[in-house]
Amino acid sequence: MNDDTKPFLLKLIAENKDNEACKYLWDQYYDVLFKFAVAYLKSKELAEEVVSDVLYQVWSTKHHLDNIQHLRVYLFTAVRNRCYTQLSKKKREQSLFVNTGELHEDSHIDFNIDPEKQMITGELSKFIKEIVDDLPPRCRQIYKMIREEGLRNKDVAVELGISINTIDVQLAIALKKITKAMQLYFNR
């Protein structure tokens, strides 16, 4: 498949054979664009949505097709851009529900969380953040570098110019204070 499809498509449109032109556009590009989108999104449903949206958008502005020099490149670029948009949207949605730790590709998030659970999770996250903010400055810095930035103890020690033993002690102090505060929080 190459851009030789564009002249034929434009001819069908010029002859007011819209149904044939639409079917031709779909037949020529849907499968290859779908596979391309699945490779980005790792989801057949999202890929179907993205490709259908792009083809619909192109079709709804079909009288401007003559302005597109390379239809195939245009379609692949549009699908790729929509995939990026979907991925960043998905990442934003996930970050709304997961405030601590990192998500892995095999993580599954239940987007049907009930509002009460969501409120409690948000309240708990805010509470933990306040506890961390109340830690002594060096202890807070070490905790954030390890737990929030995901650095290894050894890397933090090198970056701060202190021993790994000091890192371990400071992290233990932080975790002890957080644990104690959490116990008080849940016992209230």
Side-chain angles (χ1 to χ4, degrees):
M1 182 181 4
N2 55 36
D3 272 354
D4 293 340
T5 59
K6 183 180 163 194
F8 184 71
L9 187 60
L10 289 172
K11 181 180 177 223
L12 288 173
I13 292 169
E15 294 173 357
N16 286 323
K17 296 181 180 176
D18 284 353
N19 288 340
E20 288 178 47
C22 183
K23 183 178 180 336
Y24 182 76
L25 177 68
W26 223 266
D27 290 346
Q28 291 297 309
Y29 292 104
Y30 184 86
D31 288 340
V32 69
L33 292 172
F34 173 75
K35 290 175 186 170
F36 182 68
V38 167
Y40 272 101
L41 300 170
K42 310 292 187 244
S43 164
K44 290 181 179 181
E45 294 80 18
L46 281 176
E48 287 174 3
E49 182 181 326
V50 164
V51 173
S52 295
D53 285 351
V54 167
L55 290 175
Y56 176 76
Q57 178 190 8
V58 168
W59 183 249
S60 65
T61 58
K62 63 185 175 277
H63 298 294
H64 298 287
L65 278 176
D66 53 338
N67 296 333
I68 300 171
Q69 283 190 329
H70 301 285
L71 181 59
R72 182 177 169 84
V73 172
Y74 177 84
L75 290 171
F76 274 91
T77 303
V79 167
R80 183 199 64 209
N81 292 343
R82 289 276 176 104
C83 287
Y84 286 154
T85 301
Q86 283 293 327
L87 290 171
S88 65
K89 178 182 173 187
K90 187 175 179 181
K91 188 173 182 178
R92 280 192 312 271
E93 288 172 350
Q94 289 173 342
S95 69
L96 289 174
F97 295 105
V98 180
N99 295 321
T100 59
E102 287 187 24
L103 285 178
H104 301 284
E105 290 179 16
D106 59 347
S107 295
H108 297 287
I109 296 178
D110 180 7
F111 287 103
N112 296 317
I113 296 174
D114 78 21
E116 184 179 340
K117 277 186 179 178
Q118 203 171 354
M119 183 188 77
I120 291 170
T121 302
E123 183 180 66
L124 188 57
S125 295
K126 183 179 175 189
F127 181 72
I128 291 170
K129 185 184 179 318
E130 290 172 4
I131 296 167
V132 171
D133 289 344
D134 287 338
L135 292 171
R138 181 63 118 191
C139 188
R140 179 177 56 241
Q141 180 184 23
I142 291 169
Y143 177 86
K144 285 185 173 188
M145 290 175 81
I146 292 171
R147 295 297 174 139
E148 295 178 10
E149 296 175 25
L151 298 174
R152 295 180 310 162
N153 292 19
K154 184 169 83 172
D155 297 332
V156 173
V158 169
E159 188 172 325
L160 297 178
I162 56 180
S163 72
I164 292 178
N165 190 36
T166 303
I167 297 292
D168 292 338
V169 169
Q170 290 296 313
L171 190 58
I173 291 169
L175 293 175
K176 186 176 179 181
K177 287 185 178 194
I178 292 170
T179 302
K180 186 176 180 180
M182 294 293 289
Q183 287 171 341
L184 291 172
Y185 177 83
F186 284 113
N187 289 331
R188 64 179 176 159

